[in-house]
Amino acid sequence: MTTDERTQSKSRAAYDWVKARIARREYTPGYRLVLGSIAAELDMSVVPVREALRQLEAEGLVTFERNVGARVAMVDESQYAFSMQALAILEGSATALAARTLTPADLKRARDINDRMVASLDHFDPGAFTALNHEFHASLYGPCPNARLLDLVNAEWGRLGNLRNSTFAFVPGRAQESVREHEGIVGLIESGAPLDEIESAARRHRSATLDAYLEHEHTPA
């Protein structure tokens, strides 16, 4: 193997290593990526690490700033808003389509998850709360008979995970409102409410979280 090939191989290893940590949110938006530290951890020189970060920069995952160096890219607020808007529509529809198939046991499971979310408010962990939030909603939309719609919902959930570790980290007060709205959605399904009413409630719930985040971001400190 030539020197260039060895460098390329190490660069690929560094690329995979850093990208995996960004995907797992160990490296969150704004996190400073120190070339020397990464190189030392991977037992290689800074040259392949720099090449790896440049590749990640080309993909929009890393930025380089003068006198600062490399950082994990900050999130484009418009992309986050677009995903939340899309998810409001998709998840609302999937929840409505699944509503008539949900059993009393399914609804009890959803309530149990929401109860865990309520209990977590006293020692609030945004990441854990977000994981429970996803579990709650999946318990309601999961039985949706439209497989294509389910794929789209799950894709948007995954995209949101890359854009924001947890919206509730920015607007923790929204968590209390969220669990109350969860109970309302479950109540509508349980009572056999019209499907368009269930869909609207699920859509409003998602949109309210986006609205709370945008208000927080654009309110002067």
Side-chain angles (χ1 to χ4, degrees):
M1 182 180 291
T2 67
T3 300
D4 283 346
E5 288 174 335
R6 283 195 295 271
T7 299
Q8 289 175 2
S9 177
K10 290 182 177 181
S11 176
R12 180 67 196 188
Y15 167 90
D16 290 339
W17 190 87
V18 174
K19 187 171 185 178
R21 278 153 182 76
I22 294 174
R24 293 199 300 267
R25 297 182 292 280
E26 292 177 25
Y27 292 168
T28 54
Y31 183 90
R32 189 179 177 198
L33 300 166
V34 181
L35 291 175
S37 297
I38 295 172
E41 189 153 1
L42 295 177
D43 192 24
M44 61 178 66
S45 74
V46 298
V47 174
V49 175
R50 184 180 292 110
E51 291 182 359
L53 296 186
R54 287 299 182 187
Q55 178 60 37
L56 290 166
E57 180 187 28
E59 296 177 13
L61 294 175
V62 168
T63 60
F64 280 85
E65 303 173 31
R66 178 186 288 273
N67 300 324
V68 174
R71 290 185 183 275
V72 177
M74 299 302 288
V75 174
D76 183 335
E77 183 180 279
S78 64
Q79 294 305 310
Y80 169 74
F82 293 156
S83 272
M84 286 289 280
Q85 290 165 354
L87 189 56
I89 295 168
L90 295 167
E91 189 177 83
S93 297
T95 301
L97 288 174
R100 298 294 187 252
T101 71
L102 294 171
T103 66
D106 293 328
L107 296 177
K108 182 181 182 304
R109 176 170 176 264
R111 279 204 168 94
D112 287 344
I113 297 168
N114 200 47
D115 286 345
R116 289 161 60 196
M117 296 176 74
V118 172
S120 75
L121 294 176
D122 290 336
H123 304 283
F124 191 63
D125 178 336
F129 188 89
T130 294
L132 285 172
N133 186 52
H134 188 189
E135 187 178 350
F136 170 84
H137 286 288
S139 73
L140 297 183
Y141 71 69
C144 172
N146 187 320
R148 175 57 180 156
L149 181 56
L150 273 180
D151 285 345
L152 293 172
V153 172
N154 289 327
E156 286 305 320
W157 267 102
R159 189 164 187 268
L160 277 176
N162 290 328
L163 291 172
R164 283 282 185 277
N165 183 19
S166 172
T167 303
F168 296 104
F170 297 87
V171 283
R174 171 64 189 150
Q176 294 184 355
E177 299 171 356
S178 184
V179 293
R180 288 195 294 269
E181 291 165 11
H182 286 175
E183 181 60 35
I185 294 170
V186 173
L188 287 173
I189 296 172
E190 194 171 48
S191 68
L195 296 184
D196 60 347
E197 189 174 340
I198 295 170
E199 179 175 354
S200 294
R203 187 179 297 190
R204 285 195 307 270
H205 169 69
R206 177 68 50 197
S207 297
T209 298
L210 172 60
D211 291 344
Y213 169 78
L214 293 177
E215 181 179 358
H216 172 272
E217 289 299 285
H218 296 285
T219 298

